[in-house]
Amino acid sequence: MPSRQEVAYFGAGPAPLPTSVIEAGAKAFVNYNDSGLGLAEISHRSPTANQILADTKASLTTLLDIPDNYEILFMQGGGSGEFSAVVQNLVSVFVERRRRRAEANILKANPNEDPARVEELVLERLKKEIDEELKLDYIVTGSWSLKASQEAARLVGPKYVNVAVDARKANDGKFGKIPPEETWSLTPTRREGGKGSAFVYFCDNETVDGVEFPAFPKVLEPQGEDEEDERLVVADMSSNFLSRKVDVRKYAVIFAGAQKNVGVTGITIVIVRKSLLPPQTATPPASLLQKLNIGGVPGPIVFDYATIAKNNSLYNTLPIFNLWVAGQVMAELVNTFGTKKVSGQEEIAARKAQLIYAALDKYPHVYHVVPDKSVRSRMNICFRVYGGDADKEKEFLAGAEKRLLLGLKGHRSVGGIRASNYNAVPLENVERLVKYLEDYATGQY
């Protein structure tokens, strides 16, 4: 039986964790800080749990320089849960902003109007504006953003979902490129003479397809001071979270399932701008949303950002052990990189990815990297062996397993090979994989 040190694991998720965190977690699971209780047993409302929550928030704030006008939420449901939560919360923001505007306009024209009549007029106007103007923009560059757009269409109806980009159209029906921004058909903002969308959504790193945005899209850059005239940008960062520096201020919502780069399954991290939460933007009453008959809103209360924020992520039972694991990973990054913060991890991630891609590019007759070079993921390196020859790929995987290089099989929907290069994959394991890539290509495996 191999030891942990002998196995090099490149699975796409759940992903490897730092050995130090795993070992400490084993002790904490049985008896945390000599309390006689394991971390999975303590109350989520205990002082211990609250301290773990505060420490985790502090580490994350340090790593990403999260401004004071953002709230950090710890939720459940994974990235797939956030596909729904984003719709639920930001369509509600869209409605509330339109409700306020409609009410102000009606009262300006008729200052003495009966309140009940004002409510009727507001409802009429909202129904019309939602029917004619509600749009949810999706930039579809891979399997996960596609699933997110499909969930939005399921909830609110296809009429309201604008697929501003379908990257398959630029790549012979397959994902692997990000089309030029000038070709994106985003809903025009009010500043651009349009009505604006409820939000624009993209997946920063596509785990299945190996596509990563090289930088924040220029077309989504904020243009002014009035947030209501700007696009609310939502990013799924589940598979590249804390692997590079990001400017949090450019996003309305960032979310990430923990099980790739920061922890174990069961915790979802959400960073949301406070201006989208009460009291700055009140949640529309459930009764109003019901009258508007918008699919997906009001949604489950456990996905309501305002409720989770108000209760410091403790509205329902938060899995404290899972949170502690994520907190330990974040604290280790803080301690390791100091003033470099997440930029220190970014340097390592880039170095590891560079080594693997260099080996693949060295032998083009053997290996074919799936995505275009301009959008190659640093986290999920997808390639084919001998053009996707099934027998050769089985042979490749079998040879890798003999060397205890595990988790390299591509996603079932696309096949091929995928080396997931997450934060906890050590450089020496990447070097072992590179050695095997060299040996296989030269017939020495």
Side-chain angles (χ1 to χ4, degrees):
M1 176 151 326
S3 68
R4 182 176 179 84
Q5 288 70 30
E6 291 174 308
V7 170
Y9 186 61
F10 297 93
L17 285 163
T19 296
S20 59
V21 173
I22 287 287
E23 291 174 343
K27 295 178 182 177
F29 193 80
V30 176
N31 188 352
Y32 181 66
N33 284 354
D34 296 323
S35 65
L37 289 173
L39 262 183
E41 300 170 302
I42 67 169
S43 168
H44 64 299
R45 302 194 189 282
S46 65
T48 298
N50 274 271
Q51 188 60 55
I52 291 169
L53 200 153
D55 291 344
T56 305
K57 279 188 177 182
S59 293
L60 183 55
T61 299
T62 296
L63 287 167
L64 290 182
D65 291 315
I66 299 175
D68 291 340
N69 62 325
Y70 281 78
E71 187 72 55
I72 299 171
L73 310 178
F74 298 107
M75 300 175 66
Q76 296 169 64
S80 295
E82 289 306 308
F83 296 168
S84 309
V86 163
V87 174
Q88 171 183 331
N89 287 278
L90 295 191
V91 169
S92 294
V93 169
F94 175 91
V95 169
E96 177 59 17
R97 288 178 170 178
R98 297 301 181 98
R99 186 199 66 77
R100 287 184 183 182
R101 198 179 304 160
E103 185 179 74
N105 290 341
I106 290 166
L107 288 174
K108 183 177 180 180
N110 303 284
N112 300 316
E113 186 67 81
D114 178 70
R117 179 55 180 159
V118 171
E119 188 175 325
E120 289 177 10
L121 293 171
V122 168
L123 181 61
E124 289 175 13
R125 184 174 297 190
L126 282 176
K127 284 182 176 179
K128 185 175 187 297
E129 289 187 357
I130 287 166
D131 182 63
E132 296 177 356
E133 299 173 13
L134 177 62
K135 289 296 177 186
L136 285 56
D137 286 355
Y138 280 81
I139 300 170
V140 176
T141 55
S143 300
W144 290 112
S145 49
L146 176 62
K147 286 180 182 291
S149 70
Q150 291 169 339
E151 174 65 356
R154 188 185 72 85
L155 291 173
V156 300
K159 169 183 176 179
Y160 301 114
V161 175
N162 172 41
V163 177
V165 178
D166 184 341
R168 295 172 294 184
K169 294 179 180 179
N171 195 43
D172 298 324
K174 296 181 179 180
F175 293 119
K177 292 183 178 180
I178 298 178
E181 292 182 15
E182 58 267 23
T183 67
W184 298 5
S185 56
L186 295 164
T187 301
T189 63
R190 289 200 298 170
R191 182 186 304 279
E192 296 165 339
K195 300 294 184 179
S197 60
F199 59 84
V200 56
Y201 180 109
F202 72 98
C203 180
D204 206 35
N205 183 78
E206 290 282 1
T207 321
V208 172
D209 306 284
V211 171
E212 184 175 28
F213 279 81
F216 186 83
K218 291 182 180 179
V219 72
L220 302 183
E221 292 278 356
Q223 300 296 316
E225 296 295 327
D226 188 349
E227 185 182 61
E228 294 197 27
D229 284 342
E230 300 296 341
R231 293 185 171 93
L232 295 180
V233 179
V234 177
D236 174 359
M237 294 188 182
S238 292
S239 53
N240 66 352
F241 193 64
L242 294 184
S243 72
R244 66 180 178 186
K245 185 174 177 59
V246 298
D247 186 349
V248 173
R249 296 168 299 176
K250 295 180 179 180
Y251 301 86
V253 178
I254 293 170
F255 70 82
Q259 67 272 16
K260 310 290 188 182
N261 266 337
V262 287
V264 295
T265 307
I267 288 287
T268 310
I269 300 153
V270 179
I271 304 170
V272 56
R273 195 177 291 152
K274 288 181 180 178
S275 61
L276 305 176
L277 302 171
Q280 296 181 58
T281 299
T283 303
S287 57
L288 172 62
L289 294 171
Q290 289 160 0
K291 290 175 183 176
L292 293 171
N293 195 30
I294 309 170
V297 290
I301 198 165
V302 292
F303 282 165
D304 182 66
Y305 294 160
T307 298
I308 303 304
K310 181 181 178 181
N311 289 276
N312 192 29
S313 297
L314 298 173
Y315 175 78
N316 58 326
T317 306
L318 191 69
I320 296 302
F321 177 76
N322 305 47
L323 177 67
W324 178 86
V325 171
Q328 291 297 297
V329 171
M330 294 177 195
E332 189 168 287
L333 289 173
V334 171
N335 292 334
T336 299
F337 297 114
T339 56
K340 280 189 173 182
K341 303 177 183 179
V342 78
S343 296
Q345 182 61 51
E346 182 175 7
E347 292 173 6
I348 292 175
R351 175 61 180 151
K352 292 189 297 177
Q354 181 184 33
L355 287 171
I356 297 172
Y357 282 123
L360 295 172
D361 290 339
K362 186 176 178 181
Y363 301 99
H365 63 291
V366 178
Y367 305 118
H368 168 67
V369 178
V370 175
D372 187 77
K373 196 168 187 177
S374 62
V375 295
R376 287 179 176 180
S377 169
R378 300 162 304 123
M379 296 287 104
N380 307 104
I381 297 166
C382 299
F383 61 97
R384 306 307 299 252
V385 177
Y386 286 107
D389 182 288
D391 291 335
K392 290 291 187 182
E393 291 189 336
K394 286 180 182 178
E395 177 186 75
F396 177 89
L397 290 170
E401 288 185 11
K402 287 180 181 178
R403 298 194 185 193
L404 298 180
L405 303 170
L406 307 182
L408 288 167
K409 189 175 182 179
H411 191 271
R412 62 186 180 280
S413 65
V414 295
I417 315 297
R418 174 175 56 177
S420 291
N421 177 38
Y422 295 130
N423 286 356
V425 174
L427 179 60
E428 54 266 31
N429 286 3
V430 167
E431 290 170 342
R432 284 172 59 187
L433 174 60
V434 167
K435 179 68 165 60
Y436 176 62
L437 291 171
E438 292 266 0
D439 290 349
Y440 182 85
T442 55
Q444 301 178 54
Y445 61 96

